[in-house]
Amino acid sequence: MKNFFYLIFFFASCVICKAQTQNIIMVNSDRPVTSIQPTMWGIFFEDINFAADGGIYAELVKNRSFEFARPLMGWKIMKPDTTTGVLIINRSETDPANPRYARITIAPGEPSFGLSNAGFRGMGIKKGMTYHFSVLARQLEGSTLKMHIELVNIQGKLIAATGLVPDSKDWKKYSVSFAADATELKARMNIWFEGNGSIDLDMISLFPDDTWKNRPEGLRSDLVQLLADLKPGFLRFPGGCIVEGRDLANRYQWKNTVGKIEDRHLIVNRWNTEFAHRLTPDYYQSFGMGFFEYFQLAEDIGTEPLPILNCGMACQFNTAEVVPLDQLDPYIQDALDLIEFANGPADSKWGKVRTGMGHPSPFNLKFIGVGNEQWGSQYIERYKAFVKAIKEKYPDIQIVTGTGPSPSGKDFDYASRELKKLNAQIVDEHYYANPEWFFQNATRYDNYDRNSYKIFAGEYAAQSKFTCSPDNQNNWKCALSEAAFMTGLERNAGVVYMCSYAPLFAHVDAWQWTPDLIWFDNLRSYGTPNYYVQKLFSNNKGTEVLPMLREDKPLTGQNGLFASAAYDKNSNEIILKLVNSDQKVQAADIVLKSSKKMGTKAKMIVLKSEDLSKVNSLEQPTLLSPVESEIVLKGKTVNQVLEPYSFSVIRIKVLH
Ligand code: AHR
C-alpha cells in the first residue's frame, strides 16, 4: 500500500515538473490585424541536384541528343573492338539548336553493335509498367538496320525488350511501347543494331507511362504529387543562380526552352562543376522541362506562376559579367515577350507559340522577377530599365526584385534603400543560416515599414553545419527553427507576401547542395521534416492574422514558445500555430476572445521529436510526420500541453 502511494506521488510530481511552465495566451478573433495573401506560402523550383533532368522531368535517357560537351557521355559502346561504330555528326550550320546526331554503321559480315545508356544514375524501372521508347531516325541509302531495345538490371539481366525497324530515308519519329517484368532502381537501356548499313539517330528517349496526368513524355507523378500536396500559393521558376548562368552565354533563356522538344537548345547546367566536393560533370539542361511546362505545372497544382528572368547579369559569385546598359534591350524584350507568351491572345506572336503547344487560353501571369540574387549599383541600373519597359506595356504585372544573397550588411542595406526610393513592389530576401539565426529572427519583420515594398522571403533554409557544407542535414532542429521563424512571417503577413524554402529537390545520388525540401532516387521520394513544416503552414494558412499574445506581447521565444494565429474566412476556423522549442513540456491555456460561439472540439496536428537530429529517409519517409488528433475545448479556452520540441497546429470551428 505504502509503495502504491509512493508511486502515485512519483507520477504526480513527474507531471507537475514536466508541465512546469504555464502560459496564458490570448487570441482575439474579433480583431483581425491584417490579411494573409493567397500567395503567402509557395515553392521555389531550380534545376539543381537533378531537380529537372533526372528528376521531375521523367525522361530516362541521359544525353539523348548527343549534345553534352563529350557527345557520348552517358553512353557506352558495346563491342567497340569491331570496325563497326558510331560517328557523331555536327550539322550546326543547318540546325544550330540541335546540331549533333549519331550515325551507326555495320559493314557486311560484321557482328552486331550496340549502344547502352546509363540513365540519370541508372533508370528507375517498375515491374508491369509500360515504357515508351522513341527516336528520330533515318536509314541511309540501302540500309535496313534493325534496332533491338532492351532494359537490363544492374547485373545485366534482361527485364524488358522490344524491337523497331525504321524504314524512312528522311528524319522521322518512331515510337514503340513495351512492359517491364521486374523492378530495378538502376537499370540501363541497351540498343542493339542488326543488319548492314548506316542509320542516323537523334533524340533517343524513354519515358514511363505513369507520368503526371498521364501526359506523354511528361513529369514524374510522385514528385508532382508532393508539390501539389503543399497547396502552394506560387511556383517560382527556374531558379536560383541557374537564371544567371556562370557566364552570360549560359544564362537561362526561356525562348530556347519552348516549342518542339528537339529544337530546345541544350546548355550546361551551372551546378555541373560549381562545387569541387560535389562535381557533377554529366549535369546539363535539356529543357524538356521548359517554360511551357513550368506554367502548365503551376496551372495543374493551382498556383500562381512566378518566372524569374536574367537581367543582363551573370552570377556575381562566378564571372559577374554584365551586359552594357545600351545593349540591354534584348533582355528586356525577353521579359515583354514572356508576358505575351503567358497572357497574350492566341493570335499574338508569342501567344501563337503557346497555342501551338496546346494551350490557347492564357496562363494569367501576374508576377515577374527581374534578376535572381544580384547586388550593387549595376543591378539597380538594370532593374530600373526593366521596370520602365514592363510597366509601360503591362502596368498590372507585379515586379519582383531582390536584395542579393545576404539578409543584412552593406549590399543589403544599399539595395533596400535604393529599392525603397524606386517604390519597388515585391522584394526578395534570402537567408541561409544556422537554426539559432532562425529562432532569433522570428521578430525580423515586426518593424518593417508597412507603407513600403512587400517581402518575398524567396530562399531560406536552416543549415545544420554551414551554408554549402555537404554535411548539412534536413533534421528536426532545422525544421523546428524554420517553423519558429515562420510564425514571425505569418504574424507579419501585412508586409510578407510570399515565402519559399530553397532548394526544393535533390537526387540522393546526384545532389550538389544540401539541405533540400524533398529527396528522391530513381523510384522513390520523401518529404523532409522541413517539408512537413512547409505543408502545415501552407495547408493551414488562413485569410487574416489574429493577435496572439502572452502578457500582451507576441510569442517570439519567451519560454521557448513561438506562435501565430489566423482566421480562415472560407472555413470559419481559427488556426493556431505553436512551436515549443524547449526541451520541457509546457502548458498553454489559450483563451479565445470572440463574440461568436466555438465548436466544442478542435483538430490538433502535431509534428514533434525529442531527438533534434531526427531525419526522414527513403527507407523511413514519414518517420517524422504530422499526427492528427481531436481535442476538447473548455468553453472558449484551449488547455493544451505542448510537447518538447514540437510544432502544433490547432483548428477551431467558429459557429455563427
Ligand atoms: O538555392 C541554391 C542557391 O542559393 C540559389 O541558386 C541561389 O539563388 C542561392 O544563392
Side-chain angles (χ1 to χ4, degrees):
M1 195 63 178
K2 205 167 139 197
N3 284 350
F4 176 72
F5 280 117
Y6 277 138
L7 217 57
I8 299 275
F9 177 73
F10 174 74
F11 281 125
S13 49
C14 280
V15 169
I16 290 163
C17 71
K18 263 194 128 187
Q20 60 192 185
T21 326
Q22 197 72 17
N23 297 283
I24 315 269
I25 300 166
M26 312 297 285
V27 174
N28 192 338
S29 69
D30 289 338
R31 291 262 165 84
V33 182
T34 186
S35 302
I36 298 172
Q37 299 299 311
T39 52
M40 184 74 186
W41 310 113
I43 46 186
F44 161 95
F45 190 108
E46 175 167 24
D47 190 5
I48 183 171
N49 306 319
F50 273 26
D53 287 316
I56 200 167
Y57 181 50
E59 171 65 272
L60 295 171
V61 179
K62 186 169 72 184
N63 194 11
R64 63 186 173 189
S65 62
F66 309 101
E67 306 297 345
F68 285 18
R70 286 197 285 119
L72 284 176
M73 191 178 230
W75 294 94
K76 201 168 84 188
I77 298 174
M78 298 185 289
K79 302 204 175 168
D81 50 325
T82 65
T83 54
T84 54
V86 54
L87 183 68
I88 299 298
I89 302 180
N90 189 318
R91 61 185 154 186
S92 56
E93 288 293 313
T94 55
D95 195 346
N98 179 20
R100 295 196 191 128
Y101 61 91
R103 175 164 295 170
I104 309 296
T105 301
I106 303 184
E110 284 182 335
S112 63
F113 169 86
L115 281 179
S116 175
N117 191 275
F120 296 91
R121 306 295 190 271
M123 296 178 181
I125 300 295
K126 295 177 198 156
K127 184 176 177 177
M129 178 62 58
T130 299
Y131 290 86
H132 305 290
F133 173 88
S134 68
V135 61
L136 289 177
R138 66 176 175 193
Q139 296 272 11
L140 268 65
E141 200 52 46
S143 172
T144 54
L145 283 186
K146 286 185 189 152
M147 297 170 72
H148 298 282
I149 298 127
E150 309 177 329
L151 298 179
V152 294
N153 70 11
I154 202 158
Q155 287 84 28
K157 187 170 167 267
L158 192 67
I159 56 172
T162 188
L164 191 67
V165 191
D167 55 4
S168 171
K169 304 262 168 300
D170 298 317
W171 284 109
K172 188 174 153 189
K173 182 170 176 176
Y174 296 88
S175 308
V176 62
S177 302
F178 58 123
D181 44 44
T183 293
E184 173 62 42
L185 184 66
K186 289 177 182 276
R188 298 184 68 93
M189 182 179 72
N190 297 336
I191 309 172
W192 292 96
F193 301 90
E194 187 197 339
N196 298 141
S198 295
I199 189 168
D200 290 340
L201 305 173
D202 199 4
M203 300 299 290
I204 302 175
S205 169
L206 185 74
F207 276 88
D209 192 56
D210 63 341
T211 50
W212 173 253
K213 287 187 178 275
N214 296 110
R215 288 207 184 95
E217 303 178 0
L219 307 184
R220 206 174 124 169
S221 36
D222 61 327
L223 296 183
V224 179
Q225 191 59 56
L226 280 162
L227 301 186
D229 291 346
L230 287 171
K231 300 192 183 140
F234 64 89
L235 169 67
R236 164 180 162 176
F237 57 89
C241 293
I242 205 140
V243 170
E244 307 162 16
R246 290 169 69 86
D247 54 22
L248 282 169
N250 287 303
R251 71 189 188 276
Y252 198 103
Q253 299 188 60
W254 75 267
K255 287 176 181 163
N256 292 342
T257 75
V258 297
K260 285 207 304 221
I261 209 92
E262 60 271 28
D263 294 341
R264 302 187 189 180
H265 194 156
L266 176 143
I267 58 170
V268 71
N269 186 302
R270 59 139 300 130
W271 297 106
N272 182 302
T273 52
E274 180 73 17
F275 297 123
H277 57 275
R278 295 295 304 173
L279 289 178
T280 320
D282 57 341
Y283 201 2
Y284 285 78
Q285 298 181 82
S286 73
F287 297 121
M289 180 78 192
F291 259 42
F292 179 85
E293 288 76 18
Y294 283 116
F295 278 116
Q296 194 173 48
L297 173 62
E299 184 175 75
D300 283 353
I301 62 176
T303 193
E304 297 292 345
L306 168 52
I308 307 286
L309 295 186
N310 187 295
C311 64
M313 299 177 77
C315 183
Q316 288 164 279
F317 291 115
N318 301 139
T319 62
E321 289 177 343
V322 296
V323 171
L325 281 174
D326 60 2
Q327 290 168 36
L328 197 57
D329 281 359
Y331 291 73
I332 295 176
Q333 194 57 47
D334 274 358
L336 300 176
D337 290 344
L338 179 65
I339 300 170
E340 186 176 287
F341 175 76
N343 293 353
D347 59 355
S348 61
K349 180 176 172 204
W350 287 101
K352 219 180 266 170
V353 177
R354 183 192 71 234
T355 304
M357 296 184 76
H359 204 288
S361 55
F363 281 118
N364 295 318
L365 176 69
K366 300 188 184 86
F367 305 93
I368 197 165
V370 175
N372 169 46
E373 198 181 55
Q374 271 60 56
W375 65 87
S377 57
Q378 300 94 334
Y379 174 57
I380 298 295
E381 285 165 345
R382 282 160 186 75
Y383 164 75
K384 279 197 234 168
F386 270 80
V387 173
K388 186 167 179 297
I390 295 172
K391 285 291 179 188
E392 241 164 57
K393 194 155 182 202
Y394 298 106
D396 295 336
I397 290 282
Q398 298 193 54
I399 300 183
V400 174
T401 172
T403 43
S406 175
S408 55
K410 191 165 70 53
D411 291 327
F412 174 87
D413 292 343
Y414 167 78
S416 147
R417 208 169 44 240
E418 293 303 309
L419 293 171
K420 260 183 203 143
K421 281 193 234 154
L422 293 169
N423 292 323
Q425 289 183 287
I426 304 176
V427 175
D428 184 7
E429 296 187 352
H430 295 178
Y431 2 89
Y432 296 101
N434 58 31
E436 288 68 32
W437 185 95
F438 281 87
F439 284 124
Q440 283 154 16
N441 276 272
T443 53
R444 178 176 173 90
Y445 294 109
D446 288 4
N447 299 316
Y448 263 52
D449 183 355
R450 264 53 185 167
N451 298 314
S452 182
Y453 56 64
K454 302 304 174 199
I455 293 298
F456 171 25
E459 291 185 31
Y460 61 89
Q463 316 284 301
S464 64
K465 293 275 178 198
F466 53 88
T467 312
C468 295
S469 164
D471 299 323
N472 284 327
Q473 298 265 309
N474 281 100
N475 65 29
W476 178 228
K477 181 174 182 186
C478 290
L480 190 67
S481 73
E482 288 154 11
F485 178 72
M486 289 166 77
T487 61
L489 297 177
E490 183 174 275
R491 201 160 29 78
N492 286 290
V495 71
V496 181
Y497 275 26
M498 302 172 125
C499 315
S500 45
Y501 182 98
L504 181 62
F505 281 128
H507 189 299
V508 293
D509 294 331
W511 55 271
Q512 297 78 44
W513 183 296
T514 177
D516 303 287
L517 202 61
I518 296 167
W519 288 78
F520 59 91
D521 66 9
N522 293 336
L523 290 172
R524 301 164 294 174
S525 47
Y526 71 91
T528 55
N530 317 70
Y531 171 87
Y532 288 109
V533 165
Q534 293 291 321
K535 187 172 169 186
L536 283 179
F537 270 89
S538 186
N539 287 196
N540 297 286
K541 184 167 53 198
T543 50
E544 292 164 333
V545 176
L546 299 178
M548 186 170 191
L549 307 172
R550 181 183 177 278
E551 294 171 358
D552 286 334
K553 291 197 188 78
L555 283 125
T556 58
Q558 305 91 313
N559 292 341
L561 282 190
F562 299 81
S564 58
Y567 182 70
D568 188 339
K569 279 198 269 191
N570 305 315
S571 63
N572 295 321
E573 282 170 294
I574 296 172
I575 307 171
L576 310 175
K577 302 191 181 79
L578 294 120
V579 172
N580 179 11
S581 68
D582 201 275
Q583 60 182 351
K584 290 191 290 268
V585 172
Q586 301 210 43
D589 295 329
I590 307 162
V591 182
L592 305 167
K593 282 183 80 184
S594 171
S595 50
K596 297 185 181 135
K597 283 192 181 154
M598 304 283 152
T600 49
K601 288 178 181 161
K603 182 155 93 175
M604 174 138 176
I605 315 162
V606 181
L607 196 55
K608 62 167 179 155
S609 167
E610 293 204 24
D611 175 3
L612 286 171
S613 65
K614 198 179 254 184
V615 295
N616 288 342
S617 64
L618 287 169
E619 288 69 35
Q620 293 185 292
T622 51
L623 187 64
L624 216 156
S625 52
V627 175
E628 257 186 60
S629 62
E630 200 177 67
I631 58 168
V632 178
L633 265 65
K634 274 196 206 141
K636 289 183 184 174
T637 304
V638 180
N639 299 116
Q640 198 49 53
V641 158
L642 303 173
E643 298 289 335
Y645 303 136
S646 64
F647 170 38
S648 309
V649 176
I650 302 172
R651 295 188 73 116
I652 305 140
K653 196 89 191 161
V654 176
L655 308 172
H656 287 275

